[in-house]
Amino acid sequence: MGLFDNVEKGIEKAVRGAFSIGSKTVQPVELASSLRRELDDKAMTLDAGRTLAPNIFNIELGDADFERAQAWGVTLAEELCDVVINHSRSQGYVLQGPVRVAFNHHADLRAGHFDVASATEKENAAPSLDVGAHNTPRPPARPSQNPGVAQAPPAPVYKRQPPPSSPAAAPQGQPVLDIDGQRYSLNASSIILGRSSEADILIDDTGVSRKHLEIRARDGATTAVDLGSTNGSYVDGHRVQGTAALHDGSSITMGHTQITFRILPARGGGRR
């Protein structure tokens, strides 16, 4: 389970106290929420099933908040990179390069105020990064308070490469879901499960969100995608962080409902 399973328990737990001095300071949770909003606002639909989202983020902070961001730079920036990657994965966004987060000093910003600017950038002619790796240049010196002194070096930039998708081997047979004694054949590339009447498979469970979980079949692999549900989704006892691969016999838990994913010998058919 990652540090961002729950926003309120994520970054704040990793950098406890980093932004807690006084009542007018930027909170890590605010930065995470702002990055999610920036992704959703700037996402561009290119064609069916392909939506491009920004992967470069510059966060501008005032004097006091910038000092704290520098003090917790690597820890905080890594978590913010993961926020971007996980949210993009859950929404099906395409990132054209590694996610980069930079903290920049902006003297005109008051404590507790910040700005986020984003861009889309390919990683051209740059060394490839291992999965989960990040570059951490030496943090700059504290910005000078004397305007006559030479400009301080640029703020550090941190980046993290989204893990490449590695689909499982193509299932040999018909994928189905067993739910409360009923069997549903998965004959579409996307099946939505939830409490809403608009869901493809209706789950009558008060612990289930209206659109709770999506079952995707792509490139021979079947995955479960949590759709931002209130109570979360679990595959084989592990909470779904973005997506989770499904294999024959996988157990899916939504609210109080237990679901089993099976792969049966292909013989056609639908719900029975």
Side-chain angles (χ1 to χ4, degrees):
M1 186 176 294
L3 291 176
F4 259 93
D5 298 333
N6 182 300
V7 173
E8 289 75 17
K9 297 179 182 177
I11 291 178
E12 289 191 318
K13 182 177 179 181
V15 293
R16 189 183 303 276
F19 288 80
S20 62
I21 300 175
S23 58
K24 295 182 179 179
T25 54
V26 173
Q27 300 297 319
V29 140
E30 296 177 276
L31 298 178
S33 297
S34 184
L35 290 180
R36 289 191 182 93
R37 286 195 301 271
E38 186 74 9
L39 281 165
D40 295 336
D41 291 344
K42 299 296 176 63
M44 298 185 300
T45 300
L46 302 178
D47 50 42
R50 192 163 184 265
T51 302
L52 183 65
N55 60 304
I56 309 297
F57 299 88
N58 291 299
I59 302 175
E60 294 190 338
L61 300 160
D63 295 337
D65 292 324
F66 180 70
E67 286 188 35
R68 297 189 182 96
Q70 284 185 298
W72 290 91
V74 175
T75 302
L76 180 58
E78 283 183 346
E79 292 295 335
L80 292 175
C81 286
D82 284 343
V83 167
V84 172
I85 292 171
N86 291 335
H87 187 68
S88 297
R89 190 183 293 149
S90 69
Q91 299 301 314
Y93 296 154
V94 175
L95 301 176
Q96 289 213 328
V99 175
R100 297 210 308 259
V101 171
F103 300 121
N104 298 307
H105 178 229
H106 195 302
D108 293 337
L109 287 172
R110 294 176 296 168
H113 293 257
F114 65 95
D115 291 323
V116 175
S118 64
T120 300
E121 181 179 299
K122 283 187 176 181
E123 184 79 353
N124 292 326
S128 61
L129 294 177
D130 293 333
V131 173
H134 61 275
N135 291 347
T136 55
R138 184 177 61 185
R142 177 177 176 178
S144 172
Q145 302 301 318
N146 185 345
V149 178
Q151 186 177 5
V157 176
Y158 305 88
K159 67 176 155 184
R160 176 164 286 189
Q161 178 73 48
S165 57
S166 52
Q172 300 299 315
Q174 172 64 52
V176 301
L177 295 178
D178 287 339
I179 309 173
D180 294 334
Q182 293 188 328
R183 176 162 289 171
Y184 300 80
S185 292
L186 304 179
N187 295 319
S189 60
S190 173
I191 300 291
I192 305 296
L193 288 74
R195 198 159 41 88
S196 169
S197 59
E198 298 178 358
D200 298 306
I201 299 178
L202 179 64
I203 306 295
D204 187 13
D205 184 335
T206 56
V208 171
S209 298
R210 292 176 57 81
K211 291 187 178 180
H212 194 110
L213 187 75
E214 179 185 6
I215 304 296
R216 291 180 185 171
R218 292 181 181 174
D219 300 323
T222 305
T223 56
V225 183
D226 187 85
L227 300 177
S229 63
T230 301
N231 296 322
S233 306
Y234 296 81
V235 171
D236 296 327
H238 301 285
R239 184 161 183 160
V240 176
Q241 303 297 325
T243 65
L246 295 177
H247 309 280
D248 186 28
S250 289
S251 172
I252 304 170
T253 303
M254 299 166 48
H256 304 292
T257 302
Q258 297 290 329
I259 303 170
T260 302
F261 175 78
R262 299 282 187 192
I263 298 177
L264 304 180
R267 60 176 72 174
R271 174 178 171 178
R272 67 182 187 183

